Amino acid sequence: MDIVVLAGGLSTERDVSFKTGSMVASALKENGHRVIMIDVFMGYKDAEEDLGDVFAKADTIGISAGNIPEEAPDLAKVKASRKDQSECFFGPNVIQICRKADIVFMALHGENGENGKVQAAFDLFGIKYTGSDYLSSAIAMNKGKAKEFFRAAGIPTPKGISLQKEDRKDDPKELGIELPCVVKPCAGGSSIGVTIANTPDEFKKALDDAFCWEDELVIEEYVQGREFSVGVIEGKALPIIEIAPIAGFYDYKNKYKAGSTVETCPAELSEETTKQMQKYAEMVAEVIGLDTYSRSDFLLKEDGSMYCLEANTLPGMTPTSLLPQEAAVIGMNFNQLCEHLIQISLKKYQAQ
């Protein structure tokens, strides 16, 4: 097949996306496909050219990626570096090349990639892509909205509120919030802008930091417990993975710096707890409509109570990512996983 791996973009997870895309592109090439990895924002070349059999040049026009920096990217600098300085999110020739592909592997993370906007545009252009549709993506990306779906379905989730920037109050008591609490951007990813606030001063600073990224936040009770993640493919939960940062919590640095986190899969849990957490992960996928693949994050307290934090519609596929580790436990290596995600995504279009 001719496949575009779409990466980059303008989210805080831009660098993570490149690493996902690079690994996926390599795997798909090894599987025998013609693959082009494109930065959705920068595009290919500065002006439209003859793209007749662009996939014949796949080995020379695709971009590559290095290691993930420990700090989030400077998006203002990224925007300034685009030559055409167009207002269009899609870079030059991106749509044209994607329309020529048999399918686009969505290696985007964060804003635009996971909030449904790119998916909606591709639907209009008749472009096939991996992962969930635009509506399910939009719901899952908004942590506050997703929590409403969790509660309606009986999926336990930490108590909390959504807060708009214009409604900001620096006293947590005025918001009905008890300390400690977690403050995080409503639609962010990779734990960027997330803070555990233990004091009123820390709470104020947490608001300052999070509002730098977005104008809407989620503020929720702090749940002390073990961290887990559960991948779901076609409605069926994978083995659970436990995430134990060596220092601090599972923030941006601990997620992507090798050796920062101990990850155990299958997680050491009782059979009852395992089945319950997997059931909740499957319920998350069902109620939000994540019909191809997804990953949900959980916390487990000492008393056995568990809480779903959020759902991820395009889980990372980096050397330290969780979904590939979970798939490996059931005998699916990375190349097979990439191929499988393409095949189950194509099934959606065959059924239409």
Side-chain angles (χ1 to χ4, degrees):
M1 286 190 290
D2 290 340
I3 302 171
V4 166
V5 174
L6 202 61
L10 284 177
S11 87
T12 52
E13 297 176 87
R14 173 180 171 83
D15 294 328
V16 182
S17 171
F18 282 135
K19 196 63 181 181
T20 281
S22 183
M23 286 200 69
V24 169
S26 295
L28 294 176
K29 287 177 183 178
E30 291 173 5
N31 290 353
H33 301 293
R34 299 198 301 179
V35 183
I36 299 173
M37 179 165 136
I38 302 176
D39 181 341
V40 64
F41 181 70
M42 293 298 184
Y44 169 62
K45 297 281 180 108
D46 297 325
E48 189 168 341
E49 59 174 61
D50 180 12
L51 301 172
D53 190 9
V54 69
F55 286 91
K57 301 182 285 184
D59 290 336
T60 59
I61 72 172
I63 59 174
S64 58
N67 292 327
I68 301 170
E70 292 183 10
E71 301 295 331
D74 184 337
L75 298 181
K77 188 177 294 185
V78 173
K79 289 181 182 179
S81 68
R82 179 160 141 176
K83 289 183 180 179
D84 69 358
Q85 288 296 294
S86 168
E87 293 294 321
C88 181
F89 172 74
F90 293 101
N93 296 310
V94 169
I95 294 296
Q96 293 91 324
I97 296 174
C98 287
R99 292 187 71 182
K100 291 179 176 296
D102 293 304
I103 193 167
V104 174
F105 195 107
M106 299 288 278
L108 298 168
H109 299 313
E111 185 181 5
N112 292 315
E114 290 189 80
N115 65 10
K117 290 183 179 180
V118 172
Q119 288 84 349
F122 280 3
D123 286 343
L124 293 175
F125 282 111
I127 296 170
K128 298 180 177 68
Y129 54 88
T130 57
S132 303
D133 64 18
Y134 73 93
L135 181 57
S136 300
S137 298
I139 294 169
M141 189 64 180
N142 186 304
K143 295 180 178 65
K145 187 62 64 178
K147 286 165 75 72
E148 293 179 22
F149 277 73
F150 298 164
R151 294 188 189 99
I155 301 165
T157 188
K159 294 182 295 183
I161 63 168
S162 295
L163 179 66
Q164 299 287 342
K165 196 168 189 175
E166 60 266 26
D167 299 324
R168 172 174 175 160
K169 291 181 175 61
D170 290 345
D171 184 350
K173 292 180 180 179
E174 291 186 50
L175 296 170
I177 297 293
E178 294 183 7
L179 298 177
C181 69
V182 180
V183 178
K184 53 189 174 183
C186 188
S190 287
S191 299
I192 294 173
V194 177
T195 303
I196 299 172
N198 294 283
T199 68
D201 286 344
E202 288 181 357
F203 181 77
K204 182 180 181 301
K205 186 177 185 306
L207 295 184
D208 291 338
D209 292 344
F211 276 131
C212 285
W213 299 103
E214 291 179 26
D215 290 341
E216 183 178 0
L217 309 181
V218 166
I219 305 172
E220 60 187 18
E221 64 175 323
Y222 172 64
V223 176
Q224 178 77 48
R226 296 161 64 189
E227 299 182 53
F228 301 88
S229 189
V230 189
V232 176
I233 298 179
E234 284 194 294
K236 179 66 176 175
L238 295 172
I240 300 170
I241 188 167
E242 180 170 7
I243 308 122
I246 293 174
F249 72 101
Y250 198 43
D251 59 7
Y252 187 87
K253 180 179 178 180
N254 283 330
K255 285 184 177 183
Y256 303 115
K257 184 179 180 181
S260 297
T261 304
V262 176
E263 294 159 354
T264 306
C265 189
E268 297 177 359
L269 295 168
S270 69
E271 183 178 356
E272 180 183 1
T273 300
T274 297
K275 287 183 177 179
Q276 184 62 68
M277 193 176 293
Q278 288 176 320
K279 178 184 176 183
Y280 282 142
E282 291 170 355
M283 289 173 65
V284 167
E286 182 180 1
V287 298
I288 297 182
L290 310 177
D291 55 0
T292 50
Y293 60 102
S294 62
R295 200 196 76 229
S296 294
D297 300 331
F298 291 85
L299 285 172
L300 179 69
K301 294 176 68 174
E302 282 189 11
D303 63 8
S305 55
M306 62 186 72
Y307 301 85
C308 182
L309 300 178
E310 62 180 81
N312 302 274
T313 58
L314 294 175
M317 301 280 275
T318 72
T320 57
S321 292
L322 307 177
L323 188 71
Q325 293 186 59
E326 295 176 52
V329 172
I330 61 171
M332 186 180 295
N333 66 34
F334 188 80
N335 286 32
Q336 291 170 332
L337 174 61
C338 292
E339 196 72 29
H340 187 57
L341 297 183
I342 285 175
Q343 294 304 322
I344 64 175
S345 297
L346 283 171
K347 277 202 289 186
K348 294 188 305 181
Y349 298 101
Q350 295 165 357
Q352 291 176 358

